[in-house]
Amino acid sequence: MKNKVTLSTLEHMKAAGEKIAVLTAYDAGFARLAESAGVEVILVGDSLGMVVQGHDSTLPVTVEEMVYHTAMVNRGCSLPLLVADMPFMSHGTPRQALDSAGKLMKEGGAHMVKLEGGHAQVETVRHLTDRAVPVCAHLGLLPQSIHQLGGYKVQGRDSRSAERILKDAHELQQAGAQMLVLECVPEMLGREISLALDIPVIGIGAGRGCDGQVLVLHDMLGITPGKAPGFSKNFMADTGSVEAAMRAYVEAVHDGDFPAREHCFQ
């Protein structure tokens, strides 16, 4: 990757059938390595609450902490599109969401913000995008709703819930969302949504039919405490270094080798 990645870059990649490689990072050092490996998008995820801070969920993460980590990542890279998560309870109302997004972009340097939720977030997405805030939506498994969902479970396995997720995806796109992260849904649903939308759909446990893939850095390096998610792969096991693992991940995504069938839900 030699040129600055923009939303137009990602739209062209989707249109051309080129896969998009996304990886999380939480500081300047790993951001620098991710950029060198050729990722198109770096996500500063609220997953930092679990893999960096040691919490058992993403819920305790604050806007101030997200700004802090986003700013560090921003200082470590210049080419990837930089997306920052809006943490739990930071977007309860459109006005609150605009305030949170403003901090992430003005103080943290994010190019885009990501927020979880379907139909209930349509008004917020429209409020943000009407005010020049690029939004990445997030459907399927919503880690911020983990207590409501009753655990980390695959979503959209029955026809009713699958139809709801597809409908929400259309509504969010119409409201102005320019990218969608789709987490832990059956591979068939992931492909259907990716084909139905004009915007890039980035999968994490959503199958091979998505326009791109994202993994949490610590999962990809095999250093997440406890059992790794079934949709992830330890790329450092066969490479021996962080930089080589990142390059192997990017290459596997671009070539369509990751995810393999064993990383997908049916």
Side-chain angles (χ1 to χ4, degrees):
M1 180 176 60
K2 298 180 180 179
N3 300 317
K4 176 69 179 175
V5 175
T6 66
L7 287 169
S8 294
T9 306
L10 304 182
E11 291 169 2
H12 289 310
M13 290 182 71
K14 177 182 174 91
E18 299 174 2
K19 298 293 187 180
I20 300 164
V22 185
L23 193 61
T24 69
Y26 313 100
D27 61 35
F30 281 109
R32 194 171 296 115
L33 290 176
E35 178 178 80
S36 177
V39 301
E40 281 79 34
V41 180
I42 292 180
L43 170 64
V44 185
D46 60 358
S47 49
L48 69 87
M50 301 174 75
V51 300
V52 175
Q53 298 176 336
H55 296 298
D56 61 2
S57 75
T58 65
L59 303 187
V61 179
T62 66
V63 172
E64 290 71 27
E65 289 167 343
M66 288 302 305
V67 169
Y68 173 75
H69 284 276
T70 302
M72 284 195 290
V73 171
N74 186 43
R75 289 192 288 270
C77 63
S78 58
L79 298 180
L81 186 77
L82 180 56
V83 181
D85 260 336
M86 298 184 70
F88 182 61
M89 297 302 290
S90 68
H91 47 86
T93 66
R95 182 174 180 176
Q96 183 186 22
L98 186 63
D99 180 65
S100 300
K103 292 177 181 178
L104 289 167
M105 296 182 71
K106 292 174 67 177
E107 300 174 29
H111 306 135
M112 182 180 224
V113 297
K114 180 172 76 66
L115 58 85
E116 297 182 11
H119 176 75
Q121 295 294 351
V122 167
E123 181 184 354
T124 296
V125 170
R126 185 174 291 111
H127 187 78
L128 293 176
T129 56
D130 282 349
R131 290 159 178 79
V133 177
V135 173
C136 174
H138 185 149
L139 292 173
L141 174 62
L142 307 177
Q144 292 175 13
S145 302
I146 196 62
H147 295 308
Q148 188 176 48
L149 295 174
Y152 296 95
K153 303 175 182 178
V154 179
Q155 304 296 304
R157 275 190 159 147
D158 62 274
S159 59
R160 183 176 180 181
S161 61
E163 289 172 4
R164 187 190 68 247
I165 294 172
L166 177 59
K167 182 180 180 181
D168 285 349
H170 279 293
E171 289 185 354
L172 290 163
Q173 177 179 261
Q174 291 169 0
Q178 291 176 277
M179 190 158 66
L180 171 68
V181 166
L182 190 58
E183 182 169 359
C184 287
V185 301
E187 183 170 34
M188 185 178 297
L189 179 59
R191 179 178 291 108
E192 181 181 6
I193 292 175
S194 300
L195 291 172
L197 298 188
D198 297 322
I199 61 176
V201 176
I202 309 300
I204 177 166
R208 295 163 288 185
C210 295
D211 303 306
Q213 301 293 327
V214 59
L215 281 181
V216 170
L217 174 67
H218 293 58
D219 292 343
M220 189 274 296
L221 296 177
I223 57 175
T224 302
K227 184 179 179 181
F231 54 74
S232 68
K233 177 180 177 180
N234 179 357
F235 281 87
M236 197 156 68
D238 297 322
T239 55
S241 76
V242 171
E243 186 170 9
M246 287 186 176
R247 291 185 181 278
Y249 165 72
V250 171
E251 182 178 348
V253 171
H254 286 168
D255 291 346
D257 296 331
F258 179 82
R261 183 176 178 82
E262 62 264 28
H263 308 118
C264 304
F265 300 108
Q266 305 306 316

